[in-house]
Amino acid sequence: MQTFYTIAVGPLAWFAWAVFLVGSAWRIFSMASLAKNKEMAAVAYFDTAYGMRSIARWMTPFATLGWQKNPVLTFATFAFHISFILLALFAQGHAILWEYAFGMRVWALPPQVASALTIIATLSCAYFLVRRLSNSTVRFVSTPGDWLALGLATLPFITALLVRQSVGDPLLMTLLHVLSGEAVLVAIPFTRLSHALFVPFTRAYMGSEFGAVRHCPDW
Amino acid sequence: MKKLNSTVCKVLVCAALVATGGLCLGLPPAFSSQEDITHVRSEALKPHTRPAALFRHDEHNEKAGIDDCATCHHGKDKDGKRDMADMTAGTDCVECHAVSPVKGQTALRRAFHLQCMGCHQERKQGPLHCTGCHTNG
């Protein structure tokens, strides 16, 4: 398991980053050329100012009618994404590994704050799961890909909690945590998690359509 | 009985504090010889965010079969390079590895991790995961 852990934080980490970066670039590039070929109208009406306005509005909690409609979902969505990004970039374990491997000094969250964010992210995922199961409209439009994406996104948080709370064998749990994080990286370009790559474009497109074509805000 | 216990506790806590204080300040060897070391705790790395690193100095080195103190307690040669022939036991790592290092120097926290985790990785023995060393116990 020692050897396996060394592989997971070494070669496998390089592999996951490579797949993530190359895969993401490829996905964005091929989507862009597809749009040029098939949806020239949308590309022609693309408007940076309205696009940015839409992104800004939708990045603000409760700023849009869409966010106001279901406050709990809005809260969980923001809480999850903010926790995800902060923890991925600034969890102490991550910072120490950057420092160990490359001598890079990365600012780190105080561990208590990181623990709180981990719990918040996990609870948000639990809410997403319950919502998908209990809301028949949402359940009806859920594909296996959606369940996979939700499961993948939840695993790093659960395993991080298990390490933190010393549940189970600590080396095994740390190994599972590393592997699940790498699985997310690899999955981002190729699953529903690709919304992380495409959301700026789809949002900006909607903003352009509503702003420059229909001359109204996108609600 | 309860009162007695709490007094005993207080005495023990005081003794422990004095003992760790002694270790940390590097008081005379009589009080801080390496065989008494059970954990590495660098005062320079305050504020601490993790439990002290588990390291039963002599027992660890015996089990790991490390005879040469300079494996860890190396020195510095004229060119500022690491000198494995110069044994510097008794000199704290922080003397040569600053917390915010000057150019060409390995930062203290990284020096600890490179030394401890580096060897564990090489030998495929000893903990590599955070809680393997930073453990309450």
Side-chain angles (χ1 to χ4, degrees):
Chain A
M1 192 145 62
Q2 193 84 350
T3 312
F4 206 48
Y5 179 82
T6 306
I7 295 171
V9 294
L12 214 52
W14 284 105
F15 172 78
W17 277 101
V19 171
F20 167 64
L21 292 174
V22 175
S24 299
W26 174 72
R27 286 278 284 156
I28 290 175
F29 178 79
S30 57
M31 198 61 94
S33 53
L34 189 69
K36 269 204 198 99
N37 291 333
K38 291 233 165 121
E39 300 283 347
M40 205 45 221
V43 179
Y45 277 100
F46 198 87
D47 184 298
T48 315
Y50 285 123
M52 296 307 278
R53 180 180 78 173
S54 178
I55 290 174
R57 273 164 45 82
W58 283 85
M59 269 178 49
T60 315
F62 303 105
T64 62
L65 288 182
W67 284 140
Q68 284 158 20
K69 220 166 86 187
N70 187 342
V72 183
L73 179 61
T74 303
F75 182 80
T77 303
F78 275 90
F80 173 79
H81 286 91
I82 291 168
S83 307
F84 185 103
I85 292 168
L86 283 179
L87 288 167
L89 293 177
F90 302 120
Q92 191 187 52
H94 302 182
I96 293 284
L97 287 181
W98 288 116
E99 180 184 82
Y100 174 69
F102 305 113
M104 284 167 61
R105 290 161 80 79
V106 182
W107 178 82
L109 291 159
Q112 298 89 332
V113 175
S115 292
L117 290 177
T118 312
I119 292 167
I120 290 171
T122 313
L123 291 177
S124 303
C125 288
Y127 172 73
F128 298 145
L129 176 72
V130 169
R131 176 171 169 272
R132 247 180 219 290
L133 287 171
S134 63
N135 184 321
S136 54
T137 319
V138 182
R139 193 175 59 210
F140 187 68
V141 297
S142 292
T143 61
D146 293 320
W147 295 106
L148 176 73
L150 179 55
L152 278 174
T154 312
L155 277 179
F157 298 104
I158 295 183
T159 48
L161 275 182
L162 294 180
V163 173
R164 241 4 215 175
Q165 305 303 321
S166 316
V167 182
D169 179 68
L171 176 58
L172 177 65
M173 292 308 150
T174 312
L175 175 65
L176 291 178
H177 174 71
V178 172
L179 291 177
S180 62
E182 288 165 351
V184 168
L185 269 184
V186 169
I188 284 174
F190 307 110
T191 63
R192 293 304 300 263
L193 297 178
S194 61
H195 70 272
L197 307 174
F198 293 129
V199 90
F201 300 106
T202 47
R203 194 71 262 153
Y205 161 72
M206 292 297 281
S208 305
E209 163 92 24
F210 278 80
V213 181
R214 304 189 193 184
H215 302 290
C216 61
D218 53 338
W219 314 107
Chain B
M1 190 59 201
K2 253 200 182 129
K3 212 170 194 171
L4 185 69
N5 266 341
S6 80
T7 322
V8 171
C9 277
K10 271 182 199 151
V11 171
L12 284 177
V13 165
C14 284
L17 281 177
V18 171
T20 43
L23 282 177
C24 300
L25 292 169
L27 289 177
F31 210 36
S32 66
S33 70
Q34 70 275 16
E35 67 209 71
D36 301 330
I37 296 180
T38 57
H39 292 80
V40 189
R41 176 90 288 181
S42 170
E43 286 306 297
L45 291 174
K46 270 186 170 170
H48 296 130
T49 54
R50 297 246 168 191
L54 180 64
F55 184 62
R56 296 185 198 93
H57 193 285
D58 284 8
E59 187 190 313
H60 172 278
N61 295 342
E62 201 172 309
K63 265 205 209 158
I66 313 169
D67 304 321
D68 186 3
C69 310
T71 308
C72 300
H73 299 288
H74 49 253
K76 181 154 82 174
D77 67 15
K78 292 186 297 296
D79 308 325
K81 294 228 168 64
R82 177 160 58 158
D83 183 356
M84 297 307 275
D86 180 17
M87 208 278 270
T88 59
T91 312
D92 275 353
C93 315
V94 70
E95 301 290 329
C96 301
H97 297 282
V99 176
S100 309
V102 295
K103 214 166 165 283
Q105 197 181 49
T106 305
L108 180 63
R109 193 173 66 182
R110 185 171 186 235
F112 276 121
H113 287 141
L114 279 176
Q115 182 163 92
C116 309
M117 287 159 71
C119 175
H120 292 170
Q121 204 162 335
E122 211 176 279
R123 302 229 189 149
K124 300 185 167 70
Q125 272 185 79
L128 292 170
H129 55 296
C130 316
T131 48
C133 290
H134 299 287
T135 167
N136 296 306

